[in-house]
Amino acid sequence: WSLKSFAAPAAEKLQLDPDEGLLPGMVLRSDGQHFRIKEADKGLASIEPPLRDGLVQGSIVQKVAPFAPFVPVMPATLRSST
């Protein structure tokens, strides 16, 4: 996602583009900061904790994938039995 407008330090809402795929509980990161979505509606995401530092318009916001070292890469039903 990209930030549609400047977000000041201590901001608790981010306007993101595109608005698809934003889900409550999702952990995001941007510019060394991590935050969780509390609510999302039409590209406006309420986050916690509030931003430590501001983010400029156009900042890239990425989803943080959960670390799961023991989850197989392929489901067992798709692995070769040989």
Side-chain angles (χ1 to χ4, degrees), residues 34-47:
H34 289 78
F35 35 87
R36 180 180 320 275
I37 296 177
K38 293 190 303 186
E39 297 177 24
D41 184 37
K42 298 179 184 157
L44 187 62
S46 298
I47 60 167

Side-chain angles (χ1 to χ4, degrees), residues 61-74:
V61 179
Q62 299 174 315
K63 178 182 175 182
V64 176
F67 179 67
F70 302 108
V71 175
V73 176
M74 275 191 297

Side-chain angles (χ1 to χ4, degrees), residues 47-80:
I47 60 167
E48 61 181 355
L51 292 179
R52 179 183 66 244
D53 301 313
L55 295 173
V56 298
Q57 179 179 355
S59 293
I60 300 300
V61 179
Q62 299 174 315
K63 178 182 175 182
V64 176
F67 179 67
F70 302 108
V71 175
V73 176
M74 275 191 297
T77 56
L78 296 178
R79 285 191 227 139
S80 172

Side-chain angles (χ1 to χ4, degrees), residues 13-35:
K13 294 187 182 218
L14 302 177
Q15 189 172 10
L16 300 170
D17 185 51
D19 58 2
E20 294 87 20
L22 297 169
L23 301 171
M26 184 180 288
V27 177
L28 304 175
R29 69 176 176 203
S30 185
D31 198 27
Q33 301 180 76
H34 289 78
F35 35 87

